[in-house]
Amino acid sequence: MNFTRWSARLPGTQRRAAARTDLAVPPDRRVDGAVPAARAEAPSGTPGCAPAVDGLPAREVLDRVPALVALVHGTDHRIAYVNDAYATAFGARPVGEPARDALPELRELGLLPLLDQVLRSGRPRTLKSRRAPDGRSYTFTCTPVAGSGHHGAPPPDGTPAPDGREGSGVLVFATDVTDHAEAAERLRASERRQRETAVTLQRSLLPQVLEQPDDLRIAATYQPGGTEAAVGGDWYDVITLGGGRTALVIGDVMGRGVRAAAVMGQLRTAVRAYARLDLPPHEVLQLLDGLATEIDANQIATCVYAIHDPNEGRLVYASAGHLPILVRDAAGAVLRTDEPTGPPLGTGGWIHTSGSVPLGPGSTAVLYTDGLVERRDEDLDEGIAALERALAGATGTPQVVCDRLVRSAGVQADHDDDVAVLVLQHPARTGQDGELFRNAALELLGGVEAAPRARAFASGVLTSWRFAPDLHDLGVLAASELVANSLQHGTPPMRLRLRRTDRRLIVEVTDGDDHLPRRRRAEPGDESGRGIAIIASIASNWGSRRTPGGGKAVWCEFALPRATG
């Protein structure tokens, strides 16, 4: 074995140290004849010349090298040499014994197959950061060495080397990387704690229980990304607006970790506050856009805000850079919403607009974040198209549909992005169930006859719906007061609408004036101001909003006794 040859393969500073040594291995650390001494004379005639490489003692250098060094020979890797650092770490090792018996630490670390590979291929192999039986971590580099001429030495068992050259073996060089491994583990532990904190914060800011409107059936799911930094700011919410209307929102804050989750929480809280104003979707996004800029000028978010009105049978929505809503109608056809879509929240300077899509009985709509459809190896439109196909074949309850869509997208626990999905269905009600959901409307003309006509209409409808006398009377009184208020303060056209669900009775009056009423305290001498106060005192809830075509709607609702439904 040519010790000079394999010393050139030593990594880093140890290679340079070995280059300055005598490459003779002492007899007590080698198999007889395995690694004979080799010496070279320094060039003559060179004043002050340092000793030649072959003139330095190898044992003294290698035994002082802090790295672990072992040399094995032959197909069963018999020990030829181990240095002091190796013996200190794992104990003394007898030369001439096969590694499988004499080097149990290498067997436990799985290095014996690696030694075979190195011997067969003639190429070095490295095994990074393995924890050894002594509790420390090492990076092992296994380098092939081959002897030639008088420097070669046959394996101790006389077996020819695999490459046909006597003295073929493997140099095992182990560097202690315990400090690096412990630092890396501390970093991973810190990242895990941060991720757990972000996930906990994220889940705590999402709705713990979804509101379930009278006319819709809704389910949602959230799955954090499986990677250390994949927890982002995905959120969703369902907000009942009163009068049978429901707001639905889904969004995604760009970025990862606790900061994104915190920004998401602020935006979700703001959405709920703005929703109480019962504004059109695009106006809600305008308010959110300004707020997002104030929260963090460097943080942007995408969002879809939509409102479902069962009287209209449509979903009115506005989008700030978010993915399109998908709607499957009663016949199974899937529609992808198109424009209008504005830039993400936090960019400022954009006027958002609202669009609408049919959502009648029997329809299902899906709102989702990009983690469900975006993949690194394919176009985003391909992911959305795949989701459309999955939605076309997904039937069952909203939760079943939600789970099927997530599975069809291949979302696993180790998914590299968080995913939020919101599924809503407008059930087609028939038979006895359909009797619990009824509508009746009356167009009102101005004049003194409008009020008594409205009272008669309300009384007849509520009687046909077989309400109890006390609820019947409250409904008639509410219709009378709302119509009277509209006659006094509103303008034509006017309409009275009565609606019942399995949970409540809703009375609503619309007119052409956009001045919203407010509750105020009427003084004894005042001739007006008592109508809304009466409504507020007898109804379970009341409110008003501006209508898209101009004008306003004022409504109130009464909770039905459970026995009625």
Side-chain angles (χ1 to χ4, degrees):
M1 172 71 60
N2 189 331
F3 218 70
T4 303
R5 178 180 301 174
W6 65 256
S7 69
R9 300 174 184 266
L10 287 172
T13 57
Q14 283 71 37
R15 181 174 66 248
R16 293 189 292 272
R20 296 191 299 270
T21 67
D22 176 4
L23 300 180
V25 177
D28 64 334
R29 290 196 172 267
R30 60 181 170 87
V31 179
D32 291 342
V35 188
R39 296 190 180 275
E41 298 298 330
S44 59
T46 306
C49 179
V53 171
D54 288 345
L56 298 177
R59 175 178 179 177
E60 182 179 348
V61 173
L62 292 178
D63 282 346
R64 293 182 181 180
V65 168
L68 281 58
V69 179
L71 180 65
V72 296
H73 280 274
T75 56
D76 56 356
H77 313 301
R78 293 181 180 272
I79 302 175
Y81 170 81
V82 294
N83 71 346
D84 285 346
Y86 195 104
T88 300
F90 299 121
R93 294 294 183 261
V95 296
E97 295 296 324
R100 64 177 177 273
D101 300 324
L103 300 175
E105 61 278 358
L106 299 189
R107 184 179 64 249
E108 293 176 16
L109 290 168
L111 254 71
L112 296 186
L114 191 67
L115 296 179
D116 293 335
Q117 293 177 21
V118 171
L119 204 57
R120 286 194 305 267
S121 66
R123 296 180 180 179
R125 295 286 188 273
T126 298
L127 195 64
K128 294 185 177 180
S129 190
R130 288 295 180 92
R131 186 179 295 275
D134 66 347
R136 301 191 67 79
S137 297
Y138 298 91
T139 289
F140 291 86
T141 298
C142 300
T143 304
V145 291
S148 63
H150 70 280
H151 295 294
D157 59 359
T159 304
D163 59 2
R165 293 177 296 172
E166 291 184 347
S168 294
V170 179
L171 176 70
V172 179
F173 187 92
T175 305
D176 191 328
V177 293
T178 304
D179 292 342
H180 296 287
E182 291 177 350
E185 180 55 36
R186 288 194 297 269
L187 179 60
R188 287 192 293 269
S190 175
E191 290 175 346
R192 285 194 296 270
R193 288 192 297 270
Q194 291 181 12
R195 182 178 183 276
E196 290 169 1
T197 300
V199 170
T200 301
L201 176 61
Q202 178 94 344
R203 290 194 183 280
S204 68
L205 294 174
L206 292 173
Q208 304 304 301
V209 178
L210 284 179
E211 297 183 24
Q212 293 292 337
D214 297 3
D215 294 273
L216 299 176
R217 296 294 176 262
I218 301 177
T221 188
Y222 168 74
Q223 180 169 317
T227 59
E228 296 296 335
V231 181
D234 290 16
W235 94 92
Y236 56 81
D237 209 348
V238 179
I239 309 163
T240 53
L241 301 177
R245 290 154 48 85
T246 305
L248 306 115
V249 61
I250 194 164
D252 184 1
V253 177
M254 301 297 103
R256 295 288 184 265
V258 174
R259 179 58 183 168
V263 172
M264 175 275 286
Q266 295 178 75
L267 291 177
R268 177 176 174 254
T269 301
V271 169
R272 294 193 70 87
Y274 295 149
R276 299 304 176 192
L277 301 176
D278 211 344
L279 299 171
H282 64 276
E283 293 189 24
V284 172
L285 291 190
Q286 291 295 136
L287 294 172
L288 282 177
D289 184 39
L291 179 64
T293 304
E294 294 177 6
I295 293 174
D296 189 340
N298 298 318
Q299 196 90 37
I300 62 174
T302 64
C303 179
V304 166
Y305 183 86
I307 295 176
H308 176 254
D309 188 338
N311 295 323
E312 304 296 333
R314 301 188 70 81
L315 193 66
V316 181
Y317 67 91
S319 175
H322 203 77
L323 299 172
I325 301 171
L326 302 183
V327 178
R328 187 188 66 200
D329 63 21
V334 177
L335 172 66
R336 181 192 305 190
T337 60
D338 201 352
E339 299 293 342
T341 300
L345 303 175
T347 56
W350 183 269
I351 303 300
H352 292 84
T353 57
S354 295
S356 68
V357 61
L359 190 72
S363 297
T364 299
V366 179
L367 291 76
Y368 52 95
T369 57
D370 58 3
L372 185 66
V373 295
E374 190 172 31
R375 300 293 181 270
R376 295 179 181 177
D377 56 349
E378 66 181 32
D379 188 76
L380 181 60
D381 282 338
E382 295 178 8
I384 298 175
L387 184 63
E388 289 179 348
R389 294 190 294 271
L391 177 60
T395 58
T397 66
Q399 189 61 59
V400 169
V401 172
C402 198
D403 294 340
R404 288 181 177 177
L405 295 180
V406 171
R407 285 198 303 270
S408 70
V411 177
Q412 303 292 334
D414 59 349
H415 195 59
D416 62 357
D417 195 5
D418 47 353
V419 173
V421 184
L422 184 65
V423 175
L424 56 137
Q425 291 179 344
H426 187 185
R429 306 181 189 278
T430 58
Q432 185 176 1
D433 190 35
E435 292 295 320
L436 300 178
F437 290 79
R438 306 286 294 275
N439 280 280
L442 174 68
E443 300 292 338
L444 295 171
L445 301 176
V448 293
E449 75 282 357
R453 186 177 174 213
R455 286 193 294 271
F457 174 78
S459 178
V461 169
L462 298 181
T463 299
S464 69
W465 289 351
R466 292 177 293 183
F467 282 131
D470 56 343
L471 188 56
H472 170 280
D473 293 344
L474 287 174
V476 172
L477 176 59
S480 177
E481 290 296 332
L482 290 179
V483 169
N485 184 77
S486 182
L487 288 171
Q488 183 173 1
H489 301 288
T491 59
M494 290 180 285
R495 171 186 283 191
L496 168 65
R497 184 192 297 273
L498 302 176
R499 187 165 190 275
R500 71 155 294 167
T501 70
D502 58 344
R503 306 177 201 174
R504 72 198 78 233
L505 166 67
I506 302 169
V507 181
E508 181 181 83
V509 173
T510 59
D511 64 51
D513 185 82
D514 61 2
H515 178 73
L516 300 180
R518 59 185 179 87
R519 184 179 180 181
R520 61 185 179 88
R521 181 175 180 177
E523 299 297 331
D526 292 343
E527 297 183 359
S528 62
R530 295 182 176 83
I532 295 300
I534 293 173
I535 292 297
S537 63
I538 65 174
S540 304
N541 193 17
W542 78 278
S544 62
R545 69 179 187 279
R546 291 186 174 88
T547 53
K552 67 177 179 292
V554 185
W555 55 269
C556 66
E557 57 187 32
F558 300 87
L560 302 184
R562 291 188 178 275
T564 302

